[in-house]
Short mmCIF file of all heavy atoms in Angstrom, two decimals:
data_model
loop_
_atom_site.label_atom_id
_atom_site.label_comp_id
_atom_site.label_asym_id
_atom_site.label_seq_id
_atom_site.Cartn_x
_atom_site.Cartn_y
_atom_site.Cartn_z
N MET A 1175 52.39 75.58 11.36
CA MET A 1175 51.02 75.29 11.65
C MET A 1175 50.24 76.62 11.31
O MET A 1175 50.66 77.71 11.52
CB MET A 1175 50.95 75.09 13.26
CG MET A 1175 49.54 74.51 13.60
SD MET A 1175 49.41 74.22 15.34
CE MET A 1175 48.95 75.83 16.00
N THR A 1176 49.17 76.29 10.78
CA THR A 1176 48.30 77.42 10.17
C THR A 1176 47.03 77.58 11.20
O THR A 1176 46.33 76.63 11.48
CB THR A 1176 47.73 77.14 8.80
OG1 THR A 1176 48.69 76.84 7.98
CG2 THR A 1176 46.98 78.34 8.28
N ALA A 1177 46.87 78.86 11.65
CA ALA A 1177 45.75 79.09 12.63
C ALA A 1177 44.52 79.19 11.73
O ALA A 1177 44.50 79.92 10.80
CB ALA A 1177 46.06 80.40 13.30
N VAL A 1178 43.45 78.45 12.14
CA VAL A 1178 42.16 78.61 11.41
C VAL A 1178 41.28 79.59 12.17
O VAL A 1178 41.00 79.40 13.35
CB VAL A 1178 41.37 77.28 11.25
CG1 VAL A 1178 40.22 77.36 10.66
CG2 VAL A 1178 42.35 76.23 10.53
N SER A 1179 40.95 80.74 11.61
CA SER A 1179 40.15 81.76 12.41
C SER A 1179 38.69 81.41 12.44
O SER A 1179 38.16 81.06 11.40
CB SER A 1179 40.47 83.13 11.69
OG SER A 1179 40.01 83.11 10.45
N GLU A 1180 38.18 81.48 13.56
CA GLU A 1180 36.72 81.12 13.77
C GLU A 1180 35.83 82.37 13.55
O GLU A 1180 36.14 83.45 14.13
CB GLU A 1180 36.63 80.62 15.23
CG GLU A 1180 35.21 80.24 15.67
CD GLU A 1180 35.07 80.01 17.22
OE1 GLU A 1180 36.16 80.03 17.89
OE2 GLU A 1180 33.94 79.84 17.54
N THR A 1181 34.87 82.19 12.76
CA THR A 1181 33.93 83.39 12.54
C THR A 1181 32.97 83.58 13.62
O THR A 1181 32.34 82.62 14.11
CB THR A 1181 33.09 83.04 11.25
OG1 THR A 1181 34.11 83.10 10.14
CG2 THR A 1181 32.21 84.38 10.86
N ILE A 1182 32.92 84.69 14.10
CA ILE A 1182 31.95 84.97 15.15
C ILE A 1182 30.67 85.80 14.66
O ILE A 1182 29.53 85.37 14.83
CB ILE A 1182 32.59 85.91 16.31
CG1 ILE A 1182 33.77 85.21 16.85
CG2 ILE A 1182 31.58 86.28 17.37
CD1 ILE A 1182 33.44 83.89 17.57
N PHE A 1183 30.86 86.80 13.91
CA PHE A 1183 29.90 87.54 13.38
C PHE A 1183 30.01 87.44 11.80
O PHE A 1183 31.10 87.61 11.32
CB PHE A 1183 29.77 89.02 13.67
CG PHE A 1183 29.44 89.31 15.10
CD1 PHE A 1183 30.35 89.51 16.16
CD2 PHE A 1183 28.01 89.43 15.46
CE1 PHE A 1183 29.94 89.87 17.36
CE2 PHE A 1183 27.66 89.67 16.69
CZ PHE A 1183 28.65 89.99 17.72
N HIS A 1184 28.88 87.24 11.04
CA HIS A 1184 28.99 87.49 9.64
C HIS A 1184 27.65 87.99 9.14
O HIS A 1184 26.65 87.66 9.62
CB HIS A 1184 29.58 86.41 8.90
CG HIS A 1184 28.67 85.31 8.59
ND1 HIS A 1184 28.45 84.31 9.50
CD2 HIS A 1184 27.94 84.92 7.52
CE1 HIS A 1184 27.54 83.38 8.97
NE2 HIS A 1184 27.21 83.77 7.81
N THR A 1185 27.71 88.79 7.95
CA THR A 1185 26.51 89.16 7.35
C THR A 1185 26.66 88.92 5.86
O THR A 1185 27.80 88.74 5.35
CB THR A 1185 26.29 90.66 7.37
OG1 THR A 1185 27.21 91.43 6.65
CG2 THR A 1185 26.23 91.16 8.88
N LYS A 1186 25.47 88.60 5.20
CA LYS A 1186 25.50 88.31 3.75
C LYS A 1186 24.39 89.21 3.13
O LYS A 1186 23.16 89.27 3.59
CB LYS A 1186 25.00 86.86 3.60
CG LYS A 1186 26.35 86.00 3.33
CD LYS A 1186 25.90 84.47 3.39
CE LYS A 1186 25.26 84.06 2.03
NZ LYS A 1186 25.13 82.58 2.05
N ASP A 1187 24.95 90.06 2.24
CA ASP A 1187 23.99 90.84 1.45
C ASP A 1187 23.00 91.75 2.31
O ASP A 1187 21.77 91.93 2.05
CB ASP A 1187 23.20 90.15 0.36
CG ASP A 1187 22.65 90.79 -0.80
OD1 ASP A 1187 23.17 91.97 -1.11
OD2 ASP A 1187 21.74 90.48 -1.45
N LEU A 1188 23.53 92.27 3.35
CA LEU A 1188 22.76 92.95 4.39
C LEU A 1188 22.17 94.27 3.82
O LEU A 1188 22.84 95.14 3.31
CB LEU A 1188 23.59 93.19 5.69
CG LEU A 1188 22.87 93.56 6.90
CD1 LEU A 1188 21.90 92.37 7.38
CD2 LEU A 1188 23.70 93.96 8.00
N THR A 1189 20.84 94.44 3.93
CA THR A 1189 20.20 95.56 3.30
C THR A 1189 19.31 96.17 4.34
O THR A 1189 18.55 95.49 5.01
CB THR A 1189 19.41 95.12 2.07
OG1 THR A 1189 20.42 94.54 1.12
CG2 THR A 1189 18.66 96.22 1.43
N LYS A 1190 19.33 97.56 4.42
CA LYS A 1190 18.41 98.28 5.25
C LYS A 1190 17.82 99.47 4.56
O LYS A 1190 18.62 100.33 4.07
CB LYS A 1190 19.04 98.69 6.54
CG LYS A 1190 18.11 99.47 7.45
CD LYS A 1190 17.06 98.61 8.13
CE LYS A 1190 16.23 99.41 9.15
NZ LYS A 1190 15.38 98.55 9.87
N VAL A 1191 16.54 99.54 4.31
CA VAL A 1191 15.90 100.58 3.81
C VAL A 1191 14.98 101.23 4.88
O VAL A 1191 14.11 100.50 5.39
CB VAL A 1191 15.05 100.21 2.62
CG1 VAL A 1191 14.27 101.46 1.97
CG2 VAL A 1191 16.01 99.47 1.55
N TYR A 1192 15.05 102.56 5.14
CA TYR A 1192 14.18 103.33 6.02
C TYR A 1192 13.23 103.79 5.24
O TYR A 1192 13.47 104.46 4.22
CB TYR A 1192 14.89 104.19 6.80
CG TYR A 1192 15.87 103.86 7.84
CD1 TYR A 1192 17.36 103.95 7.64
CD2 TYR A 1192 15.56 103.31 9.09
CE1 TYR A 1192 18.19 103.51 8.57
CE2 TYR A 1192 16.53 102.79 9.93
CZ TYR A 1192 17.83 102.99 9.74
OH TYR A 1192 18.73 102.49 10.64
N ARG A 1193 11.87 103.63 5.64
CA ARG A 1193 10.77 104.25 4.83
C ARG A 1193 10.03 105.16 5.76
O ARG A 1193 9.70 104.79 6.80
CB ARG A 1193 9.81 103.20 4.24
CG ARG A 1193 10.53 102.35 3.27
CD ARG A 1193 9.46 101.53 2.52
NE ARG A 1193 10.02 100.73 1.42
CZ ARG A 1193 10.74 99.53 1.61
NH1 ARG A 1193 10.72 98.89 2.75
NH2 ARG A 1193 11.28 98.93 0.58
N SER A 1194 9.90 106.44 5.30
CA SER A 1194 8.90 107.33 6.00
C SER A 1194 8.08 107.90 4.93
O SER A 1194 8.57 108.91 4.20
CB SER A 1194 9.65 108.33 6.82
OG SER A 1194 10.70 108.91 6.03
N GLY A 1195 6.81 107.48 4.85
CA GLY A 1195 5.89 108.03 3.91
C GLY A 1195 6.32 107.43 2.46
O GLY A 1195 6.63 106.29 2.33
N ALA A 1196 6.56 108.36 1.51
CA ALA A 1196 6.96 107.94 0.13
C ALA A 1196 8.44 107.92 0.15
O ALA A 1196 9.02 107.52 -0.92
CB ALA A 1196 6.35 108.94 -0.68
N GLN A 1197 9.18 108.53 1.12
CA GLN A 1197 10.59 108.58 1.11
C GLN A 1197 11.24 107.32 1.47
O GLN A 1197 10.90 106.64 2.53
CB GLN A 1197 11.03 109.67 2.04
CG GLN A 1197 10.99 111.06 1.36
CD GLN A 1197 12.30 111.80 1.59
OE1 GLN A 1197 12.69 111.80 2.82
NE2 GLN A 1197 12.95 112.54 0.67
N GLU A 1198 12.25 106.81 0.76
CA GLU A 1198 13.02 105.80 1.05
C GLU A 1198 14.56 106.07 1.25
O GLU A 1198 15.15 106.83 0.44
CB GLU A 1198 12.98 104.65 -0.12
CG GLU A 1198 11.79 103.85 -0.16
CD GLU A 1198 11.89 102.73 -1.10
OE1 GLU A 1198 12.81 102.66 -1.83
OE2 GLU A 1198 10.96 101.97 -1.12
N VAL A 1199 15.14 105.67 2.28
CA VAL A 1199 16.63 105.87 2.46
C VAL A 1199 17.23 104.51 2.58
O VAL A 1199 17.11 103.63 3.33
CB VAL A 1199 17.00 106.63 3.85
CG1 VAL A 1199 18.41 106.77 4.14
CG2 VAL A 1199 16.29 107.93 3.79
N HIS A 1200 18.14 104.25 1.61
CA HIS A 1200 18.87 103.00 1.50
C HIS A 1200 20.22 103.16 2.31
O HIS A 1200 21.10 103.57 1.92
CB HIS A 1200 19.30 102.66 -0.04
CG HIS A 1200 18.01 102.48 -0.73
ND1 HIS A 1200 17.62 101.11 -1.20
CD2 HIS A 1200 16.97 103.17 -1.32
CE1 HIS A 1200 16.56 101.18 -1.95
NE2 HIS A 1200 16.09 102.43 -1.90
N ALA A 1201 20.10 102.72 3.57
CA ALA A 1201 21.14 102.94 4.55
C ALA A 1201 22.30 101.85 4.38
O ALA A 1201 23.41 102.20 4.47
CB ALA A 1201 20.63 102.85 5.96
N LEU A 1202 21.85 100.68 3.99
CA LEU A 1202 22.69 99.52 3.76
C LEU A 1202 22.45 98.90 2.43
O LEU A 1202 21.21 98.51 2.16
CB LEU A 1202 22.84 98.48 4.91
CG LEU A 1202 23.14 99.04 6.24
CD1 LEU A 1202 22.97 97.85 7.21
CD2 LEU A 1202 24.63 99.51 6.33
N ARG A 1203 23.39 98.74 1.56
CA ARG A 1203 23.07 98.04 0.33
C ARG A 1203 23.99 96.82 0.08
O ARG A 1203 25.03 96.91 -0.59
CB ARG A 1203 23.28 98.96 -0.94
CG ARG A 1203 22.35 100.22 -0.94
CD ARG A 1203 22.79 100.99 -2.15
NE ARG A 1203 22.37 102.38 -2.21
CZ ARG A 1203 21.39 102.82 -3.02
NH1 ARG A 1203 20.69 102.04 -3.82
NH2 ARG A 1203 20.90 104.11 -2.89
N GLY A 1204 23.52 95.60 0.52
CA GLY A 1204 24.31 94.43 0.26
C GLY A 1204 25.58 94.44 0.93
O GLY A 1204 26.66 94.21 0.33
N VAL A 1205 25.65 94.51 2.30
CA VAL A 1205 26.86 94.41 3.03
C VAL A 1205 27.30 92.97 3.43
O VAL A 1205 26.52 92.14 4.00
CB VAL A 1205 26.83 95.29 4.39
CG1 VAL A 1205 28.10 95.13 5.12
CG2 VAL A 1205 26.54 96.70 4.06
N ASP A 1206 28.49 92.51 2.85
CA ASP A 1206 29.00 91.31 3.23
C ASP A 1206 30.10 91.60 4.31
O ASP A 1206 31.17 92.43 3.87
CB ASP A 1206 29.58 90.54 1.99
CG ASP A 1206 28.52 90.13 1.10
OD1 ASP A 1206 27.52 89.84 1.50
OD2 ASP A 1206 28.78 90.34 -0.15
N PHE A 1207 30.15 90.87 5.41
CA PHE A 1207 31.10 91.21 6.48
C PHE A 1207 31.37 89.95 7.21
O PHE A 1207 30.54 89.02 7.38
CB PHE A 1207 30.39 92.24 7.42
CG PHE A 1207 31.11 92.48 8.72
CD1 PHE A 1207 32.11 93.34 8.75
CD2 PHE A 1207 30.77 91.92 9.95
CE1 PHE A 1207 32.85 93.64 9.99
CE2 PHE A 1207 31.55 92.13 11.04
CZ PHE A 1207 32.54 93.05 11.11
N ARG A 1208 32.67 89.87 7.82
CA ARG A 1208 33.02 88.79 8.61
C ARG A 1208 33.89 89.24 9.67
O ARG A 1208 34.83 90.03 9.37
CB ARG A 1208 33.69 87.65 7.76
CG ARG A 1208 34.30 86.53 8.50
CD ARG A 1208 34.91 85.58 7.57
NE ARG A 1208 35.56 84.50 8.27
CZ ARG A 1208 36.78 84.56 8.83
NH1 ARG A 1208 37.65 85.61 8.69
NH2 ARG A 1208 37.26 83.57 9.54
N ALA A 1209 33.66 88.74 10.91
CA ALA A 1209 34.60 89.09 12.16
C ALA A 1209 34.97 87.80 12.67
O ALA A 1209 34.12 86.98 13.09
CB ALA A 1209 33.78 90.00 13.06
N ALA A 1210 36.22 87.60 12.84
CA ALA A 1210 36.86 86.38 13.51
C ALA A 1210 36.93 86.63 15.00
O ALA A 1210 37.14 87.81 15.41
CB ALA A 1210 38.04 86.02 12.84
N ARG A 1211 37.00 85.65 15.74
CA ARG A 1211 37.23 85.67 17.15
C ARG A 1211 38.52 86.36 17.40
O ARG A 1211 39.53 86.01 16.69
CB ARG A 1211 37.32 84.22 17.75
CG ARG A 1211 37.57 84.34 19.26
CD ARG A 1211 37.60 82.97 19.93
NE ARG A 1211 36.29 82.30 19.84
CZ ARG A 1211 35.18 82.48 20.51
NH1 ARG A 1211 35.21 83.36 21.54
NH2 ARG A 1211 34.08 81.75 20.34
N GLY A 1212 38.58 87.38 18.26
CA GLY A 1212 39.87 87.99 18.65
C GLY A 1212 40.22 89.14 17.75
O GLY A 1212 41.22 89.87 18.02
N GLU A 1213 39.47 89.25 16.60
CA GLU A 1213 39.82 90.27 15.59
C GLU A 1213 39.47 91.73 16.09
O GLU A 1213 38.46 91.85 16.62
CB GLU A 1213 39.18 89.95 14.34
CG GLU A 1213 39.67 90.80 13.05
CD GLU A 1213 39.07 90.21 11.77
OE1 GLU A 1213 38.00 89.49 11.78
OE2 GLU A 1213 39.58 90.58 10.71
N PHE A 1214 40.34 92.66 15.88
CA PHE A 1214 40.19 94.06 16.23
C PHE A 1214 39.70 94.89 14.96
O PHE A 1214 40.53 94.86 13.99
CB PHE A 1214 41.33 94.69 16.88
CG PHE A 1214 41.20 96.05 17.34
CD1 PHE A 1214 40.84 96.18 18.65
CD2 PHE A 1214 41.32 97.17 16.56
CE1 PHE A 1214 40.71 97.53 19.10
CE2 PHE A 1214 41.13 98.52 16.99
CZ PHE A 1214 40.86 98.73 18.35
N ILE A 1215 38.49 95.38 14.82
CA ILE A 1215 37.93 95.93 13.69
C ILE A 1215 37.54 97.33 13.93
O ILE A 1215 36.98 97.61 15.02
CB ILE A 1215 36.78 95.10 13.20
CG1 ILE A 1215 37.20 93.78 12.78
CG2 ILE A 1215 36.02 95.83 12.06
CD1 ILE A 1215 36.03 92.92 12.45
N VAL A 1216 37.85 98.33 13.05
CA VAL A 1216 37.41 99.73 13.15
C VAL A 1216 36.55 99.90 11.89
O VAL A 1216 36.88 99.50 10.80
CB VAL A 1216 38.65 100.64 13.04
CG1 VAL A 1216 38.15 102.16 13.07
CG2 VAL A 1216 39.62 100.43 14.18
N ILE A 1217 35.25 100.44 12.13
CA ILE A 1217 34.43 100.79 11.05
C ILE A 1217 34.44 102.25 10.88
O ILE A 1217 34.01 103.04 11.74
CB ILE A 1217 33.02 100.25 11.37
CG1 ILE A 1217 33.00 98.84 11.50
CG2 ILE A 1217 32.12 100.67 10.27
CD1 ILE A 1217 31.71 98.11 11.85
N LEU A 1218 34.95 102.65 9.66
CA LEU A 1218 35.17 104.02 9.35
C LEU A 1218 34.17 104.48 8.30
O LEU A 1218 33.94 103.74 7.34
CB LEU A 1218 36.54 104.39 8.78
CG LEU A 1218 37.69 104.14 9.78
CD1 LEU A 1218 38.99 104.28 9.09
CD2 LEU A 1218 37.53 105.34 10.88
N GLY A 1219 33.73 105.64 8.29
CA GLY A 1219 32.98 106.28 7.22
C GLY A 1219 32.30 107.60 7.65
O GLY A 1219 32.04 107.83 8.83
N PRO A 1220 31.94 108.44 6.61
CA PRO A 1220 31.43 109.77 6.91
C PRO A 1220 29.95 109.64 7.62
O PRO A 1220 29.41 108.50 7.71
CB PRO A 1220 31.24 110.41 5.60
CG PRO A 1220 31.31 109.37 4.61
CD PRO A 1220 32.15 108.21 5.16
N SER A 1221 29.64 110.76 8.26
CA SER A 1221 28.21 110.70 8.99
C SER A 1221 27.18 110.34 7.92
O SER A 1221 27.26 110.85 6.83
CB SER A 1221 28.15 112.15 9.53
OG SER A 1221 26.73 112.15 10.02
N GLY A 1222 26.30 109.33 8.31
CA GLY A 1222 25.25 109.02 7.45
C GLY A 1222 25.62 107.90 6.48
O GLY A 1222 24.70 107.53 5.63
N SER A 1223 26.68 107.29 6.54
CA SER A 1223 27.15 106.26 5.74
C SER A 1223 26.61 104.90 6.13
O SER A 1223 26.78 103.83 5.39
CB SER A 1223 28.69 106.20 5.52
OG SER A 1223 29.28 105.95 6.77
N GLY A 1224 25.97 104.70 7.26
CA GLY A 1224 25.34 103.57 7.65
C GLY A 1224 26.05 102.72 8.80
O GLY A 1224 25.62 101.56 9.13
N LYS A 1225 27.04 103.38 9.51
CA LYS A 1225 27.67 102.64 10.51
C LYS A 1225 26.86 102.28 11.73
O LYS A 1225 26.80 101.09 12.12
CB LYS A 1225 28.97 103.49 11.06
CG LYS A 1225 29.88 103.98 10.11
CD LYS A 1225 30.90 105.00 10.61
CE LYS A 1225 30.34 106.20 11.28
NZ LYS A 1225 29.80 107.18 10.34
N SER A 1226 26.02 103.18 12.16
CA SER A 1226 25.14 102.87 13.35
C SER A 1226 24.07 101.88 12.91
O SER A 1226 23.70 100.82 13.68
CB SER A 1226 24.53 104.13 13.85
OG SER A 1226 25.44 104.92 14.39
N THR A 1227 23.48 101.96 11.74
CA THR A 1227 22.53 101.07 11.25
C THR A 1227 23.10 99.63 11.19
O THR A 1227 22.52 98.70 11.56
CB THR A 1227 22.10 101.42 9.76
OG1 THR A 1227 21.55 102.82 9.88
CG2 THR A 1227 21.16 100.56 9.22
N PHE A 1228 24.31 99.44 10.65
CA PHE A 1228 24.92 98.24 10.61
C PHE A 1228 25.10 97.60 11.98
O PHE A 1228 24.80 96.49 12.28
CB PHE A 1228 26.35 98.36 9.90
CG PHE A 1228 27.09 97.10 9.83
CD1 PHE A 1228 26.81 96.13 8.98
CD2 PHE A 1228 28.20 96.96 10.73
CE1 PHE A 1228 27.62 94.81 9.05
CE2 PHE A 1228 29.02 95.79 10.71
CZ PHE A 1228 28.68 94.79 9.97
N LEU A 1229 25.74 98.42 12.87
CA LEU A 1229 25.99 97.93 14.23
C LEU A 1229 24.73 97.59 15.01
O LEU A 1229 24.73 96.61 15.76
CB LEU A 1229 26.81 98.89 15.00
CG LEU A 1229 28.38 99.06 14.39
CD1 LEU A 1229 29.05 100.19 15.07
CD2 LEU A 1229 29.07 97.85 14.71
N ASN A 1230 23.65 98.38 14.80
CA ASN A 1230 22.43 98.08 15.52
C ASN A 1230 21.77 96.82 14.93
O ASN A 1230 21.19 95.94 15.79
CB ASN A 1230 21.35 99.17 15.16
CG ASN A 1230 21.70 100.40 15.91
OD1 ASN A 1230 22.38 100.46 16.95
ND2 ASN A 1230 21.01 101.62 15.42
N ILE A 1231 21.93 96.40 13.70
CA ILE A 1231 21.45 95.14 13.27
C ILE A 1231 22.45 93.94 13.71
O ILE A 1231 21.77 92.92 14.25
CB ILE A 1231 21.39 95.12 11.68
CG1 ILE A 1231 20.30 96.19 11.23
CG2 ILE A 1231 21.10 93.74 11.15
CD1 ILE A 1231 20.34 96.41 9.79
N VAL A 1232 23.76 94.16 13.60
CA VAL A 1232 24.58 92.98 14.02
C VAL A 1232 24.41 92.86 15.59
O VAL A 1232 24.64 91.79 16.08
CB VAL A 1232 26.04 93.41 13.67
CG1 VAL A 1232 27.04 92.47 14.39
CG2 VAL A 1232 26.28 93.38 12.18
N GLY A 1233 24.22 93.95 16.27
CA GLY A 1233 23.98 93.87 17.74
C GLY A 1233 22.67 93.36 18.22
O GLY A 1233 22.38 93.27 19.36
N GLY A 1234 21.69 93.21 17.26
CA GLY A 1234 20.39 92.65 17.58
C GLY A 1234 19.38 93.60 17.93
O GLY A 1234 18.38 93.41 18.49
N LEU A 1235 19.65 94.87 17.84
CA LEU A 1235 18.79 96.12 18.26
C LEU A 1235 17.79 96.37 17.17
O LEU A 1235 16.80 97.06 17.41
CB LEU A 1235 19.54 97.36 18.66
CG LEU A 1235 20.52 97.03 19.82
CD1 LEU A 1235 21.22 98.38 19.96
CD2 LEU A 1235 19.80 96.77 21.07
N ASP A 1236 18.15 96.08 15.92
CA ASP A 1236 17.27 96.48 14.74
C ASP A 1236 17.22 95.25 13.80
O ASP A 1236 18.04 94.36 13.78
CB ASP A 1236 17.80 97.69 14.09
CG ASP A 1236 16.71 98.45 13.26
OD1 ASP A 1236 15.60 97.95 13.27
OD2 ASP A 1236 17.24 99.48 12.67
N MET A 1237 16.22 95.32 12.97
CA MET A 1237 15.97 94.32 11.84
C MET A 1237 16.48 94.78 10.56
O MET A 1237 16.16 95.89 10.20
CB MET A 1237 14.45 93.86 11.83
CG MET A 1237 13.98 93.31 13.11
SD MET A 1237 14.36 91.58 13.25
CE MET A 1237 13.34 90.85 11.99
N ALA A 1238 17.07 93.87 9.81
CA ALA A 1238 17.35 94.17 8.42
C ALA A 1238 16.15 94.17 7.41
O ALA A 1238 15.08 93.42 7.89
CB ALA A 1238 18.41 93.18 7.83
N THR A 1239 16.19 94.87 6.37
CA THR A 1239 15.11 94.90 5.42
C THR A 1239 15.28 93.46 4.69
O THR A 1239 14.29 92.92 4.23
CB THR A 1239 15.21 96.00 4.53
OG1 THR A 1239 15.20 97.18 5.27
CG2 THR A 1239 14.06 95.94 3.51
N ALA A 1240 16.55 93.10 4.31
CA ALA A 1240 16.89 91.95 3.60
C ALA A 1240 18.24 91.50 3.82
O ALA A 1240 19.07 92.26 4.46
CB ALA A 1240 16.66 92.11 2.08
N GLY A 1241 18.59 90.24 3.58
CA GLY A 1241 19.92 89.74 3.96
C GLY A 1241 19.97 88.99 5.23
O GLY A 1241 19.07 88.68 5.68
N GLU A 1242 21.28 88.60 5.46
CA GLU A 1242 21.43 87.72 6.67
C GLU A 1242 22.43 88.49 7.61
O GLU A 1242 23.46 89.04 7.31
CB GLU A 1242 21.94 86.40 6.29
CG GLU A 1242 21.01 85.69 5.39
CD GLU A 1242 21.59 84.36 4.92
OE1 GLU A 1242 22.68 83.93 5.37
OE2 GLU A 1242 21.04 83.87 3.95
N ALA A 1243 22.10 88.27 8.97
CA ALA A 1243 23.02 88.76 10.09
C ALA A 1243 23.13 87.52 10.96
O ALA A 1243 22.17 87.06 11.56
CB ALA A 1243 22.50 89.96 10.69
N TRP A 1244 24.43 87.07 11.15
CA TRP A 1244 24.64 85.89 12.03
C TRP A 1244 25.60 86.23 13.26
O TRP A 1244 26.49 86.96 13.02
CB TRP A 1244 25.39 84.77 11.16
CG TRP A 1244 24.39 84.22 10.18
CD1 TRP A 1244 24.10 84.71 8.81
CD2 TRP A 1244 23.79 82.88 10.21
NE1 TRP A 1244 23.28 83.85 8.28
CE2 TRP A 1244 23.03 82.77 9.02
CE3 TRP A 1244 23.70 81.97 11.23
CZ2 TRP A 1244 22.22 81.67 8.78
CZ3 TRP A 1244 22.91 80.81 11.01
CH2 TRP A 1244 22.15 80.74 9.84
N PHE A 1245 25.34 85.63 14.27
CA PHE A 1245 26.19 85.55 15.49
C PHE A 1245 26.47 84.08 15.77
O PHE A 1245 25.53 83.39 15.99
CB PHE A 1245 25.67 86.26 16.73
CG PHE A 1245 26.43 86.04 17.95
CD1 PHE A 1245 27.75 86.49 18.05
CD2 PHE A 1245 25.93 85.12 18.94
CE1 PHE A 1245 28.48 86.25 19.24
CE2 PHE A 1245 26.65 84.88 20.11
CZ PHE A 1245 27.89 85.34 20.24
N GLU A 1246 27.63 83.61 15.62
CA GLU A 1246 28.11 82.23 15.54
C GLU A 1246 27.11 81.50 14.60
O GLU A 1246 27.06 81.85 13.53
CB GLU A 1246 28.04 81.82 17.05
CG GLU A 1246 29.12 82.42 17.86
CD GLU A 1246 29.37 81.88 19.32
OE1 GLU A 1246 28.46 81.37 19.81
OE2 GLU A 1246 30.40 82.18 19.79
N ASP A 1247 26.24 80.48 15.19
CA ASP A 1247 25.30 79.82 14.22
C ASP A 1247 23.91 80.25 14.60
O ASP A 1247 22.95 79.54 14.21
CB ASP A 1247 25.50 78.30 14.41
CG ASP A 1247 25.35 77.81 15.80
OD1 ASP A 1247 25.31 78.72 16.81
OD2 ASP A 1247 25.18 76.62 16.17
N HIS A 1248 23.66 81.42 14.95
CA HIS A 1248 22.39 81.97 15.21
C HIS A 1248 22.05 83.07 14.14
O HIS A 1248 22.90 84.01 14.11
CB HIS A 1248 22.25 82.57 16.67
CG HIS A 1248 22.44 81.46 17.68
ND1 HIS A 1248 21.59 80.53 17.98
CD2 HIS A 1248 23.66 81.41 18.41
CE1 HIS A 1248 22.22 79.78 19.04
NE2 HIS A 1248 23.40 80.30 19.26
N1 ADP B 2270 15.44 105.67 12.09
C1 ADP B 2270 15.80 106.27 10.87
N2 ADP B 2270 14.84 106.60 10.03
C2 ADP B 2270 15.06 107.08 8.77
N3 ADP B 2270 16.33 107.28 8.41
C3 ADP B 2270 17.37 106.80 9.13
C4 ADP B 2270 17.15 106.38 10.41
N4 ADP B 2270 18.33 106.09 10.98
C5 ADP B 2270 19.31 106.43 10.10
N5 ADP B 2270 18.72 106.90 9.07
C6 ADP B 2270 19.46 107.28 7.75
O1 ADP B 2270 20.27 106.21 7.27
C7 ADP B 2270 21.41 106.60 6.76
C8 ADP B 2270 22.54 106.01 7.69
O2 ADP B 2270 22.44 106.55 8.99
P1 ADP B 2270 23.39 105.97 10.12
O3 ADP B 2270 23.40 104.48 10.08
O4 ADP B 2270 22.97 106.71 11.26
O5 ADP B 2270 24.87 106.42 9.75
P2 ADP B 2270 26.16 106.83 10.53
O6 ADP B 2270 26.07 105.98 11.85
O7 ADP B 2270 27.30 106.20 9.71
O8 ADP B 2270 26.27 108.24 10.66
C9 ADP B 2270 21.41 108.15 6.87
O9 ADP B 2270 20.95 108.55 5.59
C10 ADP B 2270 20.35 108.40 7.95
O10 ADP B 2270 19.72 109.69 7.74
MG1 MG B 2271 26.29 106.62 13.84
#
C-alpha cells in the first residue's frame, strides 16, 4: 500500500522585496515549497538568507510581494 501524503503548507514562486527609499532587498526570489502532514522539516541557511521572512509569510504574519502562500486550501 502506498501512503499518499497530504500537503498542509505550500508556496509557489514566493517573492519578497523589502523597500526602504531607493534601496531594494530581495529577501525571497521565487520559493517553491511543500510541507506534508506530519513531516519534520529543518530550514537551514546563513544569517540574512531569508528564513525568518519565509516563516513570517507562511505563518501569516507578513505579506509576500508576489507569489502564493497556502495553508491547506486557504
Ligand atoms: N523589515 C525589513 N526591512 C528591510 N530588510 C529586511 C527586513 N527584514 C529582513 N530584511 C532583509 O532581508 C534579508 C533576509 O532577512 P531574514 O529573513 O531576516 O533572514 P534570516 O532569518 O535567514 O537571517 C536580509 O538581507 C535582511 O537584511
Ligand atoms: Mg531569522
